[in-house]
Amino acid sequence: MTVPTFASVPPLAARARSVGGSPVRDILAVTARPEVINFAGGLPAPELFDAEGIAQAYRAVLAETPERALQYSTTEGEPVLRTALAERMSARGLATDADDVLVTTGSQQALSLLATALIEPGDTVLVESPCYLAALQAFGFAGARVVAVPGDDEGPDPVALEELVVRERPKLLYTVPTFQNPTGRTMSAGRRAAVASVAARRGLWIVEDDPYGELRFEGERMPWIADHEEARDRTVLLGSFSKVMAPGLRLGWLRAPGELRRACAVAKQAADLHTPTVNQLAAARYLADRDLDAHVRRVARVYGERRDAMLAGLPDALPEGSVWTRPEGGMFLWARLPSAYDTTALLPQVVTRDVAYVPGAPFHAGEPDRSTLRLCFVTQTPQEIEEGLRRLGEAFRAARDQVEGAQAAPAVVA
């Protein structure tokens, strides 16, 4: 009997072969056991969700307008939600009309739409160092050449930014200026103004991602870069309900100048037609019936207590010589261990003690700093944070002893 032969199928697209998966998602899969204290995920505390308020909003829209809630919607988003979002931004100082807003399926989709609308394969994109991991994925998938802008505790250095813009002719700068992921740092008002000025002088889009800005524990709110006169015609502001309402709603938005916003709408038509109608209407009903700002203040108070618990335990948990950020809000802090430590290599050993973090290396567009790591402090209670840091300290001390033992061992002469 002759065995038939078949030709191989065509290969995957180059972008699918070249862009890897998310290390955070991989870590969450490995650490899903309930006994693991997981500082790796960027997961809001589920016990703080206003589950009853959200449920009431869904019940209301399904009872009152089921024919609308269960129907197709416009690509741009439900007018009632776009109006509510525009009012919230206007109340915070950024004059916005409903027509300025495009509702997206999470702000992650907004990044993908912008990449589709702006980036040709080979175009240069500037990012912070370190940078939000999923942004690196989105730009990489679009075929961009991603270049990190040197910076400090206040964010990208404006002088270095201008030099890179002149030399590289990038399409855009991507930044999370408030409670940045992964570092937790916040760009100062002066630095924001300087970045806006560079974009205006040199011709540059700014993508300002603000998923954490409402989660402030202390200090004064910073103005959006989008609110600077020099940057208003070239800044895209991204927002999300994931951190302040619930991530399972998958509701985000972008505010952008008209031509770019329309291009993103066309890209969204090809991606998913529109964001689920019932979710949009439920969110709009929640905003109308409930006080989201009061809810966010309650969440921020709890998150602030958890940040303080982590800050209190870090000196005993991390090796001597480590340094870390002290965020004024958000969900994350960033630590740098002495250079002898490789946090990627150490993670499997750490996980055996039922605790986890995210190594810092994947967050770098350029040469990674392998001694860094990201810790999320909002998902666990202060008591769980204390126990998790105790386990983390044990793991790092064991790693130190192994290194010192190897260094002290006599050389073997053949």
Side-chain angles (χ1 to χ4, degrees):
M1 178 180 178
T2 302
V3 178
T5 58
F6 300 97
S8 60
V9 297
L12 297 175
R15 59 180 174 272
R17 298 194 305 269
S18 62
V19 179
S22 167
V24 177
R25 293 286 163 181
D26 295 341
I27 292 168
L28 290 178
V30 171
T31 59
R33 294 176 286 116
E35 63 270 23
V36 175
I37 296 177
N38 198 338
F39 298 137
L43 305 178
E47 72 274 14
L48 298 179
F49 294 155
D50 183 7
E52 179 54 32
I54 294 172
Q56 286 183 5
Y58 274 94
R59 286 194 292 266
V61 299
L62 287 170
E64 297 170 12
T65 57
E67 69 287 347
R68 179 181 173 191
L70 301 177
Q71 186 56 277
Y72 285 113
S73 181
T74 60
T75 298
E76 290 78 8
E78 282 293 315
V80 64
L81 180 58
R82 296 170 71 199
T83 297
L85 293 171
E87 289 174 350
R88 287 181 66 81
M89 284 182 272
S90 297
R92 286 158 175 76
L94 181 59
T96 303
D97 294 326
D99 288 343
D100 297 328
V101 180
L102 172 67
V103 178
T104 59
T105 306
S107 61
Q108 184 62 37
Q109 185 187 54
L111 281 175
S112 296
L113 299 179
L114 288 165
T116 300
L118 285 175
I119 297 171
E120 303 281 3
D123 282 347
T124 298
V125 167
L126 301 182
V127 299
E128 298 169 303
S129 181
C131 177
Y132 172 48
L133 179 58
L136 295 177
Q137 286 184 297
F139 299 138
F141 213 75
R145 176 174 171 265
V146 183
V147 177
V149 182
D152 54 26
D153 290 342
E154 294 188 37
D157 177 356
V159 175
L161 171 63
E162 186 154 17
E163 291 173 351
L164 282 170
V165 173
V166 171
R167 186 172 74 239
E168 304 290 347
R169 308 307 307 167
K171 282 286 185 71
L172 62 89
L173 166 69
Y174 172 78
T175 176
V176 184
T178 306
F179 314 138
Q180 194 235 18
N181 182 356
T183 64
R185 71 191 178 196
T186 294
M187 195 184 298
S188 68
R191 186 67 59 90
R192 293 170 193 237
V195 167
S197 181
V198 171
R201 286 197 309 273
R202 296 298 183 179
L204 182 70
W205 284 104
I206 300 173
V207 177
E208 180 179 11
D209 200 353
D210 188 37
Y212 312 105
E214 295 189 61
L215 297 173
R216 178 172 285 280
F217 320 144
E218 60 186 62
E220 297 298 321
R221 179 185 175 273
M222 294 289 180
W224 284 307
I225 297 173
D227 198 29
H228 285 270
E229 184 65 34
E230 292 177 292
R232 287 178 183 171
D233 67 342
R234 64 195 63 228
T235 301
V236 185
L237 179 64
L238 310 187
S240 172
F241 283 136
S242 291
K243 308 305 187 293
V244 298
M245 195 179 291
L249 298 176
R250 304 311 303 133
L251 285 174
W253 57 91
L254 64 81
R255 178 194 184 277
E259 183 179 8
L260 178 55
R261 187 182 64 256
R262 288 188 290 271
C264 287
V266 172
K268 183 171 172 62
Q269 289 171 1
D272 66 356
L273 298 183
H274 66 86
T275 296
T277 313
V278 65
N279 294 3
Q280 294 188 60
L281 292 178
R285 185 60 177 260
Y286 185 95
L287 292 173
D289 292 351
R290 299 269 173 158
D291 188 343
L292 178 61
D293 293 330
H295 171 69
V296 171
R297 286 193 294 271
R298 288 191 293 271
V299 171
R301 281 196 296 271
V302 175
Y303 285 2
E305 293 169 357
R306 297 180 180 189
R307 177 210 60 179
D308 292 345
M310 181 163 281
L311 289 173
L314 284 178
D316 291 332
L318 300 186
E320 183 177 356
S322 299
V323 295
W324 51 86
T325 57
R326 186 186 185 279
E328 294 183 335
M331 299 173 61
F332 307 106
L333 63 78
W334 183 252
R336 178 176 290 104
L337 311 187
S339 59
Y341 290 83
D342 183 331
T343 59
T344 301
L346 284 174
L347 183 60
Q349 180 179 333
V350 169
V351 171
T352 64
R353 297 176 185 269
D354 292 332
V355 66
Y357 57 77
V358 181
F363 295 95
H364 292 83
E367 183 67 25
D369 184 343
R370 298 191 176 279
S371 67
T372 54
L373 58 91
R374 189 192 76 177
L375 296 168
C376 177
F377 52 77
V378 304
T379 314
Q380 283 79 29
T381 66
Q383 294 75 27
E384 291 168 335
I385 290 171
E386 181 180 2
E387 172 60 19
L389 291 179
R390 184 191 66 78
R391 298 176 190 179
L392 193 61
E394 289 181 348
F396 284 139
R397 283 189 289 273
R400 178 199 62 196
D401 293 343
Q402 290 176 0
V403 171
E404 292 178 353
Q407 291 174 342
V412 178
V413 179

